[in-house]
Amino acid sequence: MKWKNKGHEFDELGALFQKNSEILVIGNKNDAEKIYKQLEFLNTKISTFTDINILDLGHGLKKRIKQIKTKFLENILKNKTIILANSIAYNNRLITILTKLKLKEKINYFREEEFFNKFLSIYAVYVSDKVYFPSNCFICTTVCTLNCRDCLNFAPYDKHKTHYDLERLKSDVDTYFKCIDRVGLFHISGGEPFSYPHIKELIEYIGENYRDQIDILGTVTNGTLLPSDNLCKVLQKYDVRVEIDDYTISLPHLKENINKLKNKLTQFNIDIQTNIATTFYELFPPKEITPQENLCKKFDACNQIYQELKNGKLYTCNWAEFAYQAGILTEINDYYDLNNFIATQDKKELIEYRLGFNAKGYVDFCRYCNGNQNINKHFVPAAIQAKGYLEWDINNPTEVRETNTIQQGERHE
Ligand SMILES: C[S@@+](CC[C@H](N)C(=O)[O-])C[C@H]1O[C@@H](n2cnc3c(N)ncnc32)[C@H](O)[C@@H]1O
Ligand code: SF4
């Protein structure tokens, strides 16, 4: 979205949150406790409602009992910001009661996922003066053990793959957590993160200094490498979630290593999430070039929610920065510089930026990009390998050329 009233885009909703500052979480006991913990940083009043059975205003109930129950629920629900845990978010009885009490979705009540992805940032800044981000992507290396043709990090286009400097990464993390009070998911990605020689030190640094500002500290692997025992100990110590991408649909020979990897991580009691990746979407090369007048509309429809932290900057669109890093774009200006952030005045504009606002209303790469799943229905099998490098020419933008050059070497920053 293009900024129209920078720093005030969410004033209306913010005022409503200030009025209904008490949070009520509805869900079963486990869900409610989990959400309660995730919200503790707000330092506001949070209550939970776990007696789901009481929501039963079934046909059999006498009118008088129904009235008493409805009144009771009204007292519990009114003047609060209500979060419906995922397990109950689509419960018809609950939605009927909320509707009868004239409570509205995205104003009075919120489904868990949407609340954490968007509304919590607004609530946090208006009610608690805190900056909450749903997630951030943080790349430690562009070196990879695979060469996926449709990689969102444009691996086959990048002739200068590199392990990023550890001190620069640490400094980025410091800058980030000076500005952001809490993040839902801090995601260390690549390239192949397990190929990064300093991955253990990086996780230790984040874990020691900022773990209490992160809900989920995560990383992701393509299943080609086995982490060392020492790395496993660190993953376990700092409660790092490891996502394992299973690309055996295109690379069946990886099955054995993936099993070994799962066993090893399980032995170390590490939280794993396996993703059987069957399809990738084709982000690039462009099926067509988007004309200038359609770029804002495209950016909004794409609704890309991933932003990358790099060199003290937050890049509006991950994929645009990855295209720049891989040499597809020759320059990139679509970022928010955290080094210029002044906590006393910029918090609201920073969360607006994180939720998709910026000065232009698009990023330059939108011109050439097919967009994410929201607007792009071109799917291909996951992890098809390119043989060599892919080359793209801005003068012939809908084509790429595959070279026979075997990928080799890497440069260091
Ligand atoms: C670029 S990878 C880097 C991490 C690691 N090398 C891996 O492949 O798991 C980060 C994530 O992007 C996903 N990804 C890459 N290209 C994709 C595409 N074209 N469509 C959908 N997901 C993609 C991968 O499956 C992975 O979960
Ligand atoms: S269209 Fe492409 S460059 Fe534009 S926001 Fe979406 S993913 Fe990013």
Side-chain angles (χ1 to χ4, degrees):
M1 281 93 56
K2 193 170 173 167
W3 259 315
K4 293 199 181 85
N5 195 5
K6 195 172 176 178
H8 299 278
E9 297 288 353
F10 296 119
D11 277 1
E12 207 177 313
L13 193 53
L16 202 83
F17 282 142
Q18 284 165 345
K19 184 166 141 286
N20 297 333
S21 65
E22 184 175 341
I23 292 182
L24 174 70
V25 183
I26 305 184
N28 66 35
K29 200 162 168 294
N30 285 347
D31 290 345
E33 274 171 13
K34 185 196 81 184
I35 295 175
Y36 185 93
K37 276 208 183 107
Q38 289 172 300
L39 298 178
E40 262 182 328
F41 78 98
L42 293 167
N43 290 328
T44 49
K45 188 164 178 210
I46 306 168
S47 47
T48 57
F49 182 80
T50 57
D51 188 7
I52 309 294
N53 293 335
I54 207 166
L55 301 172
D56 193 354
L57 301 180
H59 299 299
L61 282 181
K62 293 219 168 74
K63 201 175 165 197
R64 181 72 191 125
I65 302 178
K66 264 192 198 174
Q67 278 171 351
I68 294 169
K69 269 196 171 189
T70 310
K71 195 75 210 154
F72 173 74
L73 288 169
E74 189 174 355
N75 281 335
I76 292 180
L77 299 172
K78 72 179 178 193
N79 298 334
K80 301 207 174 76
T81 292
I82 302 167
I83 304 170
L84 312 184
N86 281 338
S87 54
I88 198 164
Y90 293 92
N91 179 306
N92 284 340
R93 250 181 258 144
L94 176 56
I95 304 297
T96 309
I97 291 169
L98 292 167
T99 313
K100 270 191 185 152
L101 296 175
K102 300 205 167 26
L103 298 174
K104 294 199 172 71
E105 190 181 354
K106 298 185 196 180
I107 291 180
N108 306 101
Y109 72 89
F110 303 83
R111 296 191 161 107
E112 177 182 339
E113 203 174 316
E114 209 171 5
F115 186 75
F116 280 93
N117 282 341
K118 174 173 178 187
F119 294 99
L120 176 54
S121 297
I122 302 167
Y123 179 99
V125 78
Y126 279 88
V127 179
S128 306
D129 193 32
K130 298 217 161 152
V131 176
Y132 172 85
F133 275 13
S135 66
N136 252 116
C137 170
F138 192 46
I139 303 288
C140 58
T141 182
T142 52
V143 175
C144 198
T145 45
L146 295 177
N147 193 35
C148 301
R149 185 193 66 192
D150 301 290
C151 174
L152 295 173
N153 293 62
F154 303 94
Y157 296 86
D158 189 347
K159 292 187 174 158
H160 305 285
K161 294 196 182 67
T162 177
H163 293 308
Y164 288 163
D165 176 60
L166 178 64
E167 293 312 312
R168 194 272 281 170
L169 294 181
K170 285 184 187 172
S171 154
D172 277 352
V173 173
D174 291 339
T175 306
Y176 183 82
F177 286 107
K178 259 185 221 143
C179 309
I180 284 86
D181 295 292
R182 191 166 173 87
V183 57
L185 169 66
F186 195 81
H187 199 240
I188 303 170
S189 189
E192 173 49 38
F194 283 170
S195 77
Y196 181 52
H198 311 295
I199 185 75
K200 182 173 112 9
E201 289 79 356
L202 178 63
I203 290 170
E204 270 175 329
Y205 187 78
I206 299 170
E208 276 302 305
N209 294 292
Y210 302 107
R211 190 64 188 87
D212 60 345
Q213 285 173 254
I214 303 169
D215 189 10
I216 298 172
L217 177 57
T219 190
V220 55
T221 177
N222 60 22
T224 57
L225 300 174
L226 278 185
S228 67
D229 287 6
N230 281 341
L231 176 54
C232 285
K233 281 181 198 156
V234 168
L235 294 170
Q236 199 265 335
K237 179 172 177 188
Y238 296 106
D239 190 17
V240 179
R241 183 180 80 187
V242 178
E243 293 152 31
I244 302 173
D245 278 318
D246 179 335
Y247 294 141
T248 49
I249 186 160
S250 298
L251 303 164
H253 67 279
L254 290 180
K255 190 82 216 155
E256 201 185 322
N257 201 62
I258 287 175
N259 287 338
K260 278 190 198 154
L261 175 62
K262 279 188 198 165
N263 286 339
K264 180 155 193 181
L265 295 175
T266 308
Q267 271 168 20
F268 280 86
N269 212 8
I270 293 161
D271 181 17
I272 53 177
Q273 207 175 69
T274 307
N275 166 35
I276 313 255
T278 51
T279 55
F280 274 2
Y281 52 94
E282 279 182 287
L283 198 75
F284 197 76
K287 302 285 175 198
E288 59 192 12
I289 309 306
T290 306
Q292 179 69 30
E293 62 274 20
N294 292 347
L295 290 175
C296 286
K297 207 166 140 217
K298 179 173 177 180
F299 179 85
D300 289 349
C302 184
N303 194 18
Q304 215 286 86
I305 57 169
Y306 301 110
Q307 294 191 346
E308 184 199 359
L309 166 67
K310 185 182 172 193
N311 291 327
K313 298 175 175 117
L314 285 177
Y315 284 87
T316 312
C317 171
N318 265 4
W319 323 133
E321 199 292 313
F322 299 161
Y324 169 72
Q325 174 70 32
I328 291 169
L329 292 180
T330 50
E331 62 169 337
I332 183 159
N333 299 305
D334 300 307
Y335 57 77
Y336 186 103
D337 195 340
L338 290 174
N339 295 302
N340 300 334
F341 173 77
I342 301 171
T344 47
Q345 64 180 46
D346 297 336
K347 286 184 184 174
K348 287 177 183 152
E349 69 166 55
L350 180 57
I351 64 117
E352 288 165 5
Y353 175 80
R354 181 61 191 90
L355 296 179
F357 283 91
N358 58 66
K360 289 198 308 227
Y362 63 91
V363 300
D364 293 333
F365 189 55
C366 293
R367 191 182 305 279
Y368 300 110
C369 171
N370 295 320
N372 67 13
Q373 307 98 305
N374 295 332
I375 54 170
N376 178 357
K377 302 300 167 206
H378 300 285
F379 291 101
V380 290
I384 293 175
Q385 298 299 289
K387 289 186 197 74
Y389 289 107
L390 296 179
E391 286 178 350
W392 181 71
D393 178 358
I394 200 163
N395 298 313
N396 187 14
T398 56
E399 305 285 327
V400 289
R401 202 169 67 84
E402 189 163 355
T403 69
N404 289 324
T405 322
I406 302 294
Q407 295 248 5
Q408 54 180 330
E410 63 201 40
R411 117 178 113 73
H412 292 265
E413 248 190 1

